[in-house]
Amino acid sequence: MSIAISEIFGPTIQGEGALIGVPTVFVRTGGCDFRCSWCDTLYAVEPRFKADWQPMAASAILAEVNRLSGGAPLLVTLSGGNPALQPLDALLALGHQQGHTFAMETQGSKAQPWFRMLDHLTLSPKPPSSGMAFNRERFEACLAAAGADTQVSLKLVIADEADYRWARALADDYPQLPLYLQPCNPAPATPEQPERETDTQELNARLRWLVDKVTGDRWYRARVLPQLHVLIWNNERGV
């Protein structure tokens, strides 16, 4: 089965979550079941961009990954949109045969049996500021679909006080999951404004606020991280 691909790029580094700083090639799929208010990848989400998504076989995707990596095995990051909507089992099986490892981030709205084939699964349910509702049953189905050898972590975006309170309550329900927090990008690029510059002062202010909240509340389990790719490359695509 073909996979809808928005873009494949790298090598770069992972800018978020448990694997921050790790060299990787990104495989970004097209299509999403959410419409978050602050989404910074609308070109991989909205159906109006479907004509730009290329249907690709697993072998063709890996051929491009290998071209970009110079033939060396590395971490492949599956992103979106929501990559859980795509048939990725053949890609994972073939990629593992070639020595690649795979990480994927999803909001936890769609479970797939091939989650057990992932090396790393980041579950990133969306907070109230996104405008999307959290579905616990679907989230827990995603947790159950992950295999015993899949490293699962929880990554939550925080835009304001309401998001912070929601994150604390949710994280308390899943103490077994490594927890990563990051501030929300205050001005993400859009297809209409692809070169919009990030307000790095505002982003850093949000990061400092989040650090102060976590340390002031003695919430020592949480790891607070920047959106590293935004700080380094602003909203530029393909890096």
Side-chain angles (χ1 to χ4, degrees):
M1 297 178 65
S2 63
I3 300 166
I5 297 297
S6 173
E7 58 183 349
I8 303 174
F9 63 91
T12 182
I13 57 171
Q14 174 55 255
E16 303 177 355
L19 299 174
I20 191 168
V22 176
T24 187
V25 166
F26 277 86
V27 174
R28 187 183 301 282
T29 63
C32 191
D33 49 338
F34 275 24
R35 297 294 183 274
C36 298
S37 63
W38 31 249
C39 179
D40 58 1
T41 56
L42 288 174
Y43 57 87
V45 168
E46 294 190 342
R48 61 187 170 122
F49 298 105
K50 192 172 182 178
D52 298 330
W53 306 339
Q54 183 178 355
M56 298 179 69
S59 57
I61 294 170
L62 285 168
E64 178 62 8
V65 169
N66 290 327
R67 184 189 71 81
L68 292 170
S69 74
L74 84 172
L75 175 70
V76 178
T77 299
L78 304 170
S79 186
N82 184 4
L85 302 181
Q86 300 294 324
L88 298 180
D89 45 343
L91 176 66
L92 294 167
L94 185 57
H96 280 141
Q97 290 175 14
Q98 298 179 11
H100 298 295
T101 56
F102 288 87
M104 188 185 80
E105 178 176 326
T106 177
Q107 57 263 44
S109 60
K110 174 72 173 179
Q112 294 282 12
W114 48 259
F115 281 9
R116 69 185 185 276
M117 302 171 68
L118 293 163
D119 300 284
H120 305 272
L121 174 61
T122 297
L123 293 175
S124 184
K126 305 311 176 189
S129 66
S130 71
M132 297 290 103
F134 173 65
N135 186 304
R136 188 176 299 272
E137 182 178 354
R138 293 181 180 182
F139 178 84
E140 293 189 351
C142 290
L143 273 177
D149 296 326
T150 302
Q151 297 183 38
V152 183
S153 60
L154 183 62
K155 193 198 80 176
L156 303 175
V157 174
I158 309 297
D160 53 31
E161 181 71 33
D163 285 358
Y164 179 80
R165 292 194 301 269
W166 173 86
R168 289 211 63 170
L170 180 67
D172 285 347
D173 290 337
Y174 301 97
Q176 77 278 21
L177 297 180
L179 174 63
Y180 300 87
L181 306 178
Q182 68 179 54
C184 183
N185 185 352
T190 66
E192 291 75 24
Q193 295 179 289
E195 304 302 324
R196 177 188 289 178
E197 288 289 322
T198 299
D199 185 342
T200 54
Q201 286 189 333
E202 174 61 23
L203 188 58
N204 280 323
R206 291 186 178 202
L207 180 60
R208 290 192 297 269
W209 172 82
L210 185 54
V211 169
D212 289 343
K213 289 290 294 183
V214 166
T215 56
D217 289 345
R218 294 182 170 82
W219 192 18
Y220 298 140
R221 174 190 163 203
R223 300 186 187 183
V224 180
L225 297 175
Q227 285 191 302
L228 191 59
H229 57 291
V230 178
L231 289 175
I232 297 174
W233 292 289
N234 290 301
N235 286 305
E236 189 175 345
R237 284 180 61 178
V239 290

